[in-house]
Amino acid sequence: MKETSTEHSADMHSAVSLQPEQSFRVDFGLGRTLPEPIRFLDRLSRNFYWCWSDEGAALFRDLDPGLWDECEQNPCELLSRVSELSLWIKASQRSFVRRLRVLEEQFNEYISAPAASFGPISSERPVAYFCAE
């Protein structure tokens, strides 16, 4: 194993200390405020719950079907790129807002449910965690 020289260590320390302090990722924010009737879409886009529900994916797709495909079905990307006009049109459509409200109620019930309601974890009922990254 090669030893690191003191001079090399000092150079590395100097390079690291010159880096500005900032968050690892700065692109998580939507950067815009959605119209109030559809504001829940922003919260939903940050939780995989949207893809566990057929209605979740459909609501995002219905904002702009072509852009939904172009964004590779990424709701955060879609919300950052969809036109203001499309957002306001959907915010004014009662049927769209009603569908979103129903999904929001289901989401809130799911989020607020105590973990014990899903049953005990055992060798007969194991839990698996999968990460998309």
Side-chain angles (χ1 to χ4, degrees):
M1 186 170 180
K2 185 178 177 183
E3 293 251 348
T4 306
S5 72
T6 306
E7 184 178 307
H8 183 68
S9 293
D11 289 343
M12 288 188 326
H13 183 275
S14 176
V16 170
S17 65
L18 293 175
Q19 299 297 318
E21 189 173 321
Q22 66 180 16
S23 301
F24 174 69
R25 296 284 304 260
V26 294
D27 60 342
F28 286 135
L30 184 55
R32 73 196 297 181
T33 302
L34 300 179
E36 194 282 322
I38 62 170
R39 196 160 291 156
F40 174 66
L41 286 172
D42 182 36
R43 182 174 179 211
L44 183 62
S45 73
R46 299 170 195 292
N47 188 299
F48 278 119
Y49 185 86
W50 72 265
C51 65
W52 302 335
S53 162
D54 291 337
E55 189 64 12
L59 286 163
F60 287 112
R61 182 183 56 246
D62 289 351
L63 287 174
D64 186 325
L67 185 58
W68 177 243
D69 288 338
E70 187 178 317
C71 293
E72 297 178 348
Q73 301 178 0
N74 178 331
C76 293
E77 180 75 13
L78 173 78
L79 292 177
S80 71
R81 293 178 51 193
V82 69
S83 73
E84 286 289 323
L85 179 60
S86 294
L87 292 172
W88 281 104
I89 288 172
K90 290 301 181 186
S92 68
Q93 291 178 347
R94 289 182 185 163
S95 61
F96 184 86
V97 173
R98 192 175 313 118
R99 290 169 48 211
L100 183 58
R101 291 290 172 246
V102 168
L103 187 61
E104 182 176 13
E105 289 173 14
Q106 293 168 349
F107 175 83
N108 289 333
E109 286 176 23
Y110 171 77
I111 291 297
S112 64
S117 69
F118 299 109
I121 299 170
S122 67
S123 58
E124 293 81 31
R125 294 178 49 127
V127 171
Y129 174 77
F130 300 93
C131 180
E133 294 182 12

